[in-house]
Amino acid sequence: MSHPALDHAAASEVFNRDEPRVNWHDETLWWVRQKRDRASVQLPEWEDLREAASRIKFHVLSHMDELLESFERKAQENGVTVHWAADAAEHNAIILSILRKHSVDKMVKSKSMLTEECHLNDFLSANGVEVIDTDLGERIVQLRKEPPSHIVLPAIHLKKSDVGETFHEHLGTEKGATDPQYLTEAARQHLREKFLTRRVALTGVNFAIAETGGFVVCTNEGNADMGAHLADVHIACMGFEKIIPKAEHLGVYLRLLARSATGQPITTYSSHFHKPRPGQEMHIVIVDNGRSTQLGREDFRNSLKCIRCGACMNTCPVYRRSGGHSYHNAVAGPIGSILAPNLDMRKNADLPFASTLCGSCSNVCPVKIDIHDQLYKWRQVLAKEGYVGGMKKASLSVAAKVLASPTLFRLSFNTARTALRIAPWAGNNPLNPWSKHRELPEAPKESFRQWWEKNRANP
Amino acid sequence: MNTMSSRDKILGAIRQNKPAAMPLPDQFTFRTEYPDLVAQFGQVLQSIGGRAEVVPDLEAVKIKVQEHFGDLSTIAVTVPGLESLATFSLAPVTDPHDLEHIELAIIPGQLGVAENAAIWISEKEMGHRVLPFITQHLALVIRAETLVANMHEAYQRIAPAATGFGTFLAGPSKTADIEQSLVVGAHGARSLIVYLIG
């Protein structure tokens, strides 16, 4: 796969050109993070819930094969057709074959990050199938021909005036209209017509229950249900890590998911699908696409515990100030940056560096993924495998030599101090990214060592 | 298509790569104590855009519905005992698209959860799966004695696989996808009222 057009740092620089907008983006996500905090402190057992959620997922990772086989068997007994896709291409081909079987060239789709990961929309569109994304945020970005910038809040990078313009162009709303109520009503009418006329609906899966063969889809808008219950064919797509052992474990996850995501006590709809309705056809596509490889990477397998709440993104100082699109991956932010290198190390080698390693992501994660540790470990793997760029590698190898030799250390710091005094502008230049928004410090006349030798060493 | 071989390939790779067995945790359910389940339920429901009303019996529900929704003309009812409120007959409907113009659906819930105001409804209560979603307005009727404190208790009482479909429904449909402004009435019901009997 090719390199992205811009790496994270370069794309962030573009995003940062509009400073008031970046500040707004930062504050909006921080506000969501604060809502999460308020919701979590209302439950005295919050930390115990996180621990339980984490340990259930550890059990799942270590029994993945048995749980998936049980899930498949039960789902088949329930009258559901189960498909397995080794990679994105096979996933996409399965969806197309189901559509072709029913001679359908239009479908509705509710939110599924997996289908973003597999670039399903592009594939279907190239094969003459029209896909309408029905989550409001996803529909907005789809009309703008953009990918979602956040896994829970797909249009979080846009202002209501942007949405107003997009809807004026595509849905015929009044020019200049920016009232969210009015714009949402326009989308409701527009999408209701799609729900009522499409014969195939695709949904994601939040949790799949091994014991019963059922799956749970959570939305606030009701778009997954509107699509699925009106369609002749319901296709549900899941990465295999969505499995949990029993329905009773949902008590843990449904208490954590929405509180972590948006600070709500639960999503409006947590729908449990077990059987197709009479006359309906139901398919489940279980996708690997690199997950079994990740399961084998001891340092990184815990990333598969993720329940896609987005809390790590909302809290991340780098995500909030660089925007989701800078990550050039279906899942942005800290979790995306530890998932993406598994999919393609070359293309995503920049992402584990898009972090200050402050650790806030790990602290808010409802399933206790050691996200910041994994970011740090990926940097080492990527450097060892030769995917770290020349500049970063060269400067770090010089630093390693200088820091290892007292003579070199003394010489270089004396030189640097002199240079800073004579020509402070030398460091504040575009070649030194550290000097963006920062001034280099004023250099003292002598080093501590020189001061010590003069004043203390020979009294 | 070679899906059988993909299945075996995936399961084989998982078997090879999975970590050593880890047990399920002993504790994954927790108790929550609220001094007043009805008050807690009502408070949370209000905070997520819905409304709860405590009524003594179904007769009182009839009066309330006539008061609140007297202007609506297409009403579907699946609550035994409230059939007289229906102006739309669900019995002959076989295609869910025929429910497109329902203005109000009145549906019974199996139980309510005080911590998040979610109500469990299986397809048996819904009649048609799409009914609680496609209707413009939704009224749910539950017995106050069915309220439980939290989701752990709820899962001990319900049987999610007993029917083909069921949902925890909490509040009216909503979105905040436009600049994080909360708008009620995205794709599902524009309003939710819960009648608590007892």
Side-chain angles (χ1 to χ4, degrees):
Chain A
M1 218 178 271
S2 61
H3 281 278
L6 291 175
D7 70 8
H8 179 271
S12 307
E13 190 160 335
V14 176
F15 185 74
N16 271 271
R17 280 181 199 150
D18 187 347
E19 197 168 328
R21 199 176 175 111
V22 174
N23 292 341
W24 165 79
H25 188 264
D26 179 27
E27 284 157 18
T28 307
L29 285 154
W30 185 249
W31 178 65
V32 180
R33 152 77 209 259
Q34 287 175 314
K35 287 200 291 182
R36 171 260 173 216
D37 291 349
R38 283 196 292 274
S40 67
V41 296
Q42 279 173 26
L43 302 188
E45 66 273 35
W46 183 257
E47 290 304 318
D48 294 330
L49 275 171
R50 288 178 71 215
E51 182 62 26
S54 168
R55 290 180 58 181
I56 295 167
K57 285 284 186 177
F58 275 131
H59 173 86
V60 167
L61 294 186
S62 66
H63 295 82
M64 189 69 80
D65 49 336
E66 302 147 48
L67 294 171
L68 285 168
E69 283 175 306
S70 161
F71 174 74
E72 178 191 41
R73 192 169 54 246
K74 291 289 173 184
Q76 286 168 343
E77 283 170 20
N78 291 339
V80 180
T81 308
V82 179
H83 308 259
W84 299 75
D87 53 26
E90 190 174 9
H91 163 266
N92 294 348
I94 289 167
I95 311 292
L96 184 62
S97 74
I98 298 170
L99 291 161
R100 292 257 160 94
K101 190 184 105 185
H102 292 272
S103 309
V104 164
D105 62 359
K106 290 182 173 72
M107 81 172 186
V108 285
K109 176 160 86 70
S110 71
K111 205 188 280 166
S112 152
M113 293 322 296
L114 175 67
T115 60
E116 293 289 332
E117 175 188 317
C118 295
H119 301 287
L120 175 69
N121 285 16
D122 292 341
F123 170 83
L124 289 181
S125 154
N127 283 281
V129 178
E130 177 214 61
V131 182
I132 302 279
D133 284 325
T134 57
D135 171 82
L136 176 59
E138 285 209 321
R139 185 65 183 140
I140 292 166
V141 295
Q142 184 181 41
L143 289 172
R144 296 172 64 90
K145 299 189 167 43
E146 292 174 4
S149 71
H150 187 292
I151 58 175
V152 174
L153 320 162
I156 193 70
H157 59 293
L158 296 172
K159 296 208 149 200
K160 56 189 178 187
S161 53
D162 301 324
V163 179
E165 267 174 51
T166 303
F167 279 15
H168 171 66
E169 188 188 332
H170 296 277
L171 308 186
T173 53
E174 277 172 54
K175 190 162 177 60
T178 59
D179 176 36
Q181 183 91 43
Y182 167 75
L183 295 173
T184 302
E185 182 63 30
R188 177 183 171 102
Q189 302 301 338
H190 159 69
L191 287 167
R192 192 157 264 249
E193 188 270 328
K194 309 295 177 198
F195 290 129
L196 285 162
T197 52
R198 299 306 186 257
R199 292 172 47 217
V200 176
L202 188 147
T203 70
V205 168
N206 289 93
F207 304 98
I209 312 160
E211 188 186 34
T212 65
F215 59 93
V216 178
V217 183
C218 303
T219 74
N220 279 321
E221 298 182 6
N223 56 315
D225 288 282
M226 282 292 280
H229 304 318
L230 287 169
D232 300 338
V233 182
H234 176 186
I235 308 170
C237 299
M238 58 178 268
F240 69 58
E241 80 281 15
K242 297 289 177 184
I243 202 95
I244 57 166
K246 294 175 175 194
E248 58 189 338
H249 296 130
L250 288 165
V252 173
Y253 294 107
L254 292 185
R255 296 188 81 195
L256 287 166
L257 179 61
R259 287 183 172 99
S260 297
T262 58
Q264 294 171 251
I266 191 168
T267 49
T268 304
Y269 308 105
S270 307
S271 290
H272 299 48
F273 295 84
H274 276 90
K275 294 174 186 165
R277 65 169 200 276
Q280 190 190 37
E281 210 175 282
M282 195 179 275
H283 297 263
I284 294 170
V285 187
I286 302 174
V287 182
D288 183 339
N289 202 35
R291 286 163 176 78
S292 59
T293 308
Q294 187 87 321
L295 190 63
R297 299 186 204 270
E298 194 182 340
D299 284 341
F300 304 114
R301 63 166 62 109
N302 293 352
S303 60
L304 296 171
K305 288 157 66 184
C306 178
I307 57 171
R308 301 292 191 270
C309 70
C312 62
M313 305 164 78
N314 304 340
T315 200
C316 178
V318 176
Y319 173 84
R320 282 187 276 121
R321 295 206 143 265
S322 58
H325 290 156
S326 299
Y327 292 78
H328 55 80
N329 187 55
V331 182
I335 183 67
S337 300
I338 59 173
L339 292 170
N342 177 59
L343 287 171
D344 187 333
M345 283 202 211
R346 179 176 299 282
K347 187 174 160 234
N348 299 312
D350 55 324
L351 295 183
F353 293 90
S355 163
T356 63
L357 303 182
C358 73
S360 185
C361 47
S362 306
N363 289 332
V364 297
C365 177
V367 291
K368 289 194 165 182
I369 301 172
D370 51 342
I371 305 174
H372 73 295
D373 288 334
Q374 292 193 34
L375 286 164
Y376 177 64
K377 287 174 184 166
W378 265 121
R379 293 179 186 187
Q380 295 166 56
V381 171
L382 292 163
K384 212 172 282 172
E385 303 275 331
Y387 294 115
V388 173
M391 186 75 162
K392 193 170 277 157
K393 211 168 157 183
S395 53
L396 284 174
S397 93
V398 168
K401 280 197 190 106
V402 169
L403 292 172
S405 153
T407 318
L408 268 180
F409 177 83
R410 233 169 290 154
L411 183 68
S412 55
F413 275 73
N414 286 341
T415 313
R417 216 167 30 251
T418 310
L420 261 178
R421 287 167 54 76
I422 300 169
W425 40 265
N428 292 328
N429 67 52
L431 283 176
N432 180 7
W434 193 89
S435 70
K436 279 179 218 166
H437 306 288
R438 292 188 186 97
E439 292 288 327
L440 284 166
E442 213 172 284
K445 287 197 182 90
E446 56 188 8
S447 72
F448 175 73
R449 188 189 177 91
Q450 288 164 339
W451 178 88
W452 176 266
E453 279 168 354
K454 214 186 308 174
N455 293 293
R456 292 286 186 275
N458 306 300
Chain B
M1 197 77 46
N2 206 350
T3 48
M4 269 314 285
S5 79
S6 284
R7 176 189 187 275
D8 295 344
K9 210 167 90 184
I10 294 167
L11 288 171
I14 289 173
R15 267 178 218 119
Q16 200 170 353
N17 290 344
K18 68 178 181 176
M22 299 273 275
L24 277 170
D26 294 330
Q27 192 185 19
F28 58 87
T29 61
F30 302 88
R31 280 192 66 79
T32 306
E33 305 284 351
Y34 293 115
D36 183 341
L37 289 176
V38 172
Q40 170 70 20
F41 179 92
Q43 216 175 348
V44 176
L45 184 56
Q46 193 172 10
S47 75
I48 58 175
R51 200 152 54 92
E53 286 208 34
V54 182
V55 289
D57 51 31
L58 286 176
E59 284 309 307
V61 174
K62 282 185 193 167
I63 296 164
K64 291 278 182 188
V65 168
Q66 276 151 2
E67 274 173 26
H68 290 144
F69 300 106
D71 53 332
L72 300 182
S73 55
T74 314
I75 301 175
V77 180
T78 63
V79 184
L82 293 183
E83 293 87 350
S84 63
L85 291 171
T87 59
F88 180 96
S89 173
L90 290 168
V93 174
T94 52
D95 180 352
H97 294 83
D98 295 345
L99 306 175
E100 172 186 3
H101 300 295
I102 302 280
E103 290 174 294
L104 172 67
I106 308 175
I107 299 172
Q110 282 186 17
L111 62 76
V113 188
E115 70 160 319
N116 55 22
I119 291 173
W120 176 255
I121 321 163
S122 84
E123 69 178 333
K124 220 171 110 192
E125 289 87 49
M126 293 171 196
H128 290 273
R129 291 182 186 186
V130 81
L131 184 60
F133 306 95
I134 202 168
T135 180
Q136 296 292 332
H137 300 275
L138 178 62
L140 295 177
V141 181
I142 59 171
R143 302 212 162 264
E145 70 207 28
T146 66
L147 289 184
V148 295
N150 66 27
M151 291 298 283
H152 308 297
E153 277 184 71
Y155 276 105
Q156 281 157 15
R157 305 265 178 100
I158 65 169
T163 63
F165 177 75
T167 192
F168 277 108
L169 190 154
S173 159
K174 57 178 146 324
T175 182
D177 273 345
I178 301 176
E179 236 184 71
Q180 281 297 293
S181 302
L182 183 70
V183 177
V184 170
H187 302 299
R190 297 174 188 273
S191 74
L192 171 69
I193 185 157
V194 176
Y195 296 111
L196 286 158
I197 297 177

Short mmCIF file of all heavy atoms in Angstrom, two decimals, chain A residues 299 315 333 456:
data_model
loop_
_atom_site.label_atom_id
_atom_site.label_comp_id
_atom_site.label_asym_id
_atom_site.label_seq_id
_atom_site.Cartn_x
_atom_site.Cartn_y
_atom_site.Cartn_z
N ASP A 299 2.86 -7.95 22.73
CA ASP A 299 2.83 -6.57 23.23
C ASP A 299 1.60 -5.79 22.76
O ASP A 299 1.30 -4.74 23.32
CB ASP A 299 4.08 -5.81 22.77
CG ASP A 299 5.31 -6.23 23.57
OD1 ASP A 299 5.14 -6.80 24.67
OD2 ASP A 299 6.43 -5.99 23.10
N THR A 315 -9.91 12.44 25.07
CA THR A 315 -9.00 12.93 26.11
C THR A 315 -7.62 13.26 25.56
O THR A 315 -6.84 13.96 26.20
CB THR A 315 -8.89 11.88 27.25
OG1 THR A 315 -8.40 12.54 28.41
CG2 THR A 315 -7.94 10.75 26.90
N GLY A 333 -6.85 8.69 16.46
CA GLY A 333 -6.53 8.85 17.87
C GLY A 333 -5.62 7.75 18.41
O GLY A 333 -5.06 6.95 17.66
N ARG A 456 33.96 25.90 43.22
CA ARG A 456 33.93 24.88 44.26
C ARG A 456 35.08 23.88 44.16
O ARG A 456 35.65 23.49 45.14
CB ARG A 456 32.61 24.09 44.19
CG ARG A 456 31.39 24.90 44.57
CD ARG A 456 31.32 25.13 46.08
NE ARG A 456 30.08 25.80 46.45
CZ ARG A 456 29.91 27.13 46.42
NH1 ARG A 456 30.90 27.93 46.02
NH2 ARG A 456 28.76 27.66 46.78
#
